[in-house]
């Protein structure tokens, strides 16, 4: 992958070495070898190999089919969910979370994802661990229909403990200029469709960790509502919506999307509303998944705090014309995405409310 190995050492005083300072270049190179086969699956035909390995190349002539192509870009990370992955020793799911956070942001404006790059900072390069992380990113890119064209693994001894790491990435997509989705397309009378989340996704984990630190809940706890250990539930990878959103766009009638991340459902949906319309969302239209109920009960978390911290079971929302709502639900169901009529757009002042 472009740029993947840790950087080479500059000149050092006699007797000193990069390895003695805590950076193992050989381990970085071993990690690259371990991840190659999985990364190879996350390609598109427009990807051009750069034999130097310093950059990722993408054939932009593929964009000639657009009348006025707009490039869309997004950058995000996985946040403190990586701490739970570290504590549980499970590294192949957080890559899915990264792709979901980055690529599904691109889908909100109607962009087709083209390619992505990642960045891993760690205290010590353990090749198998890095390969698991990047392999998860590659698998998720394949699900999203985008290429993983490059990345960087940086070893930060002295700044991070040997088992600590952080994960971030950036993605690029393309959308026709006159097809960009957004608030200007939304009208009173439109329907709001919910697409179920797979769980907590990647937002609110600082509150999750606080609850774990201050209550009797542990990662090994097995609440009866969950039917499995809490740690396993908390590491459920983020559902990736990009291809489903593109399928809805092709079917027609989509006005806007809202990716439900930090800030919760009302705050994120409000970003897709014009100043002359509100979204009225019905709590009775779905049952909050058990993991949220468990955390709320054990942490004594007020409902308002839950609403602004977690997705509560809604990972993506679509605003569609009312005559297309039933077809949108049928399409999503056929694609294996649980969905339902969440609410409607009314005249208002640009607010989304849960009633």
């Amino acid at each position: 992958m472009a740029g993947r190995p840790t950087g080479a050492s500059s000149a050092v005083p006699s007797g000193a070495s990069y390895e003695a300072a805590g950076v193992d270049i050989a381990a970085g190179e071993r990690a690259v070898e371990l991840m190659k086969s999985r990364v190879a699956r996350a390609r598109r035909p427009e990807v051009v190999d750069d034999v130097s390995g310093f950059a990722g190349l993408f054939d932009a002539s593929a964009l000639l089919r657009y009348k006025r192509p707009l490039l869309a870009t997004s950058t995000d990370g996985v946040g403190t969910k990586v701490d739970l992955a570290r504590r549980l020793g499970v590294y192949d799911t957080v890559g899915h979370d990264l792709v979901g956070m980055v690529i599904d942001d691109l889908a909100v404006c109607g962009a087709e994802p083209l390619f992505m790059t990642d960045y891993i900072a760690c205290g010590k390069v353990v090749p198998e661990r890095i390969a698991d992380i990047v392999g998860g990113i590659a698998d998720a890119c394949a699900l999203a229909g985008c290429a993983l064209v490059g990345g960087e693994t940086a070893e930060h001894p002295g700044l991070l403990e040997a088992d600590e790491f952080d994960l971030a990435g950036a993605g690029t997509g393309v959308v026709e200029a006159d097809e960009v989705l957004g608030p200007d397309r939304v009208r009173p009378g439109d329907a709001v469709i919910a697409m179920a989340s797979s769980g907590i996704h990647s937002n609110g984990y600082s509150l999750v960790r606080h609850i774990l630190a201050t209550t009797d809940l542990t990662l090994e706890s097995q609440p009866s509502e969950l039917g499995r250990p809490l740690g396993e539930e908390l590491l459920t990878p983020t559902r990736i919506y990009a291809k489903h959103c593109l399928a809805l766009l092709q079917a027609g009638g989509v006005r806007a999307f809202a990716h439900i991340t930090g800030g919760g459902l009302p705050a994120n949906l409000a970003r897709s509303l014009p100043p002359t319309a509100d979204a009225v969302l019905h709590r009775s239209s779905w049952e909050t998944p058990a993991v949220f109920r468990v955390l709320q009960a054990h942490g004594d978390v007020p409902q308002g705090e839950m609403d602004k911290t977690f997705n509560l079971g809604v990972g993506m929302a679509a605003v569609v014309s009312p005559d297309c709502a039933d077809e949108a639900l049928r399409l999503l169901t056929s694609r294996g995405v649980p969905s339902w009529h969440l609410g409607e757009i009314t005249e208002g002042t640009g607010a989304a409310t849960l009633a």
Side-chain angles (χ1 to χ4, degrees):
M1 292 178 63
R4 173 58 62 187
T6 53
S9 171
S10 57
V12 292
S14 177
S17 71
Y18 216 13
E19 185 174 0
V23 176
D24 189 342
I25 294 175
E29 292 171 345
R30 169 65 176 156
V32 173
E33 289 303 312
L34 289 176
M35 69 181 73
K36 273 185 177 178
S37 61
R38 291 179 71 177
V39 171
R41 296 199 293 268
R43 287 181 67 93
R44 288 173 55 115
E46 302 93 341
V47 173
V48 177
D49 291 324
D50 170 29
V51 293
S52 73
F54 281 94
L57 301 178
F58 191 90
D59 185 356
S61 67
L63 306 184
L64 293 176
R65 70 181 187 271
Y66 291 84
K67 292 179 294 184
R68 186 187 169 204
L70 299 183
L71 293 180
T73 186
S74 175
T75 301
D76 210 335
V78 178
T80 59
K81 189 173 184 177
V82 299
D83 179 60
L84 301 189
R86 176 190 64 82
R87 289 161 62 180
L88 290 167
V90 176
Y91 302 104
D92 60 350
T93 63
V94 288
H96 281 251
D97 297 304
L98 178 64
V99 175
M101 292 300 97
V102 172
I103 296 303
D104 286 338
D105 274 358
L106 298 178
V108 171
C109 70
E112 175 191 357
L114 299 176
F115 56 84
M116 183 170 172
T117 58
D118 66 77
Y119 177 80
I120 303 168
C122 59
K124 178 178 176 60
V125 170
V126 177
E128 293 76 13
R129 180 193 305 164
I130 300 300
D132 276 350
I133 295 170
V134 177
I137 297 170
D139 291 345
C141 281
L143 286 175
C146 71
L148 181 60
V149 298
E152 174 72 5
T153 299
E155 200 165 24
H156 290 172
L159 295 180
L160 296 171
E161 295 298 324
D163 63 342
E164 291 181 335
F165 70 99
D166 199 9
L167 182 59
T172 298
V174 61
V175 60
E176 193 70 73
D178 60 5
E179 296 177 6
V180 174
L181 300 179
D184 58 305
R185 293 175 176 247
V186 176
R187 301 286 184 271
D190 288 342
V192 183
I193 301 297
M195 293 176 240
S197 69
S198 57
I200 297 180
H201 286 183
S202 292
N203 297 103
Y205 278 84
S206 291
L207 178 54
V208 170
R209 291 166 57 246
H210 175 75
I211 293 170
L212 289 172
T214 58
T215 72
D216 60 347
L217 275 181
T218 69
L219 294 175
E220 293 73 34
S221 297
Q222 297 196 44
S224 58
E225 303 96 314
L226 298 182
R228 60 174 174 169
L230 179 61
E232 185 179 334
E233 179 73 30
L234 293 174
L235 284 188
T236 300
T238 299
R239 174 170 274 141
I240 296 172
Y241 300 96
K243 282 191 173 180
H244 308 305
C245 291
L246 292 175
L248 283 177
L249 282 172
Q250 188 172 17
V254 177
R255 315 285 205 202
F257 289 118
H259 190 195
I260 313 307
T261 56
L265 178 54
N268 281 283
L269 187 52
R271 295 165 63 179
S272 294
L273 298 176
T276 56
D278 287 351
V280 179
L281 313 175
H282 306 295
R283 290 186 189 272
S284 60
S285 66
W286 87 102
E287 182 179 5
T288 304
V291 64
F292 299 104
R293 302 197 303 270
V294 167
L295 292 169
Q296 182 174 19
H298 281 263
D300 193 25
V301 184
Q303 188 60 51
E305 195 67 25
M306 296 292 294
D307 291 346
K308 71 180 184 181
T309 304
F310 298 114
N311 67 58
L312 298 182
V314 181
M316 181 76 77
V319 180
V320 303
S321 62
D323 57 321
C324 293
D326 290 342
E327 179 56 33
L329 291 172
R330 281 192 293 268
L331 177 60
L332 290 168
T333 299
S334 73
R335 298 180 65 86
V337 182
S339 56
W340 63 93
H341 190 125
L342 176 63
E344 54 276 332
I345 304 299
T346 65
E347 293 184 358
T349 58
T353 57
L354 278 163

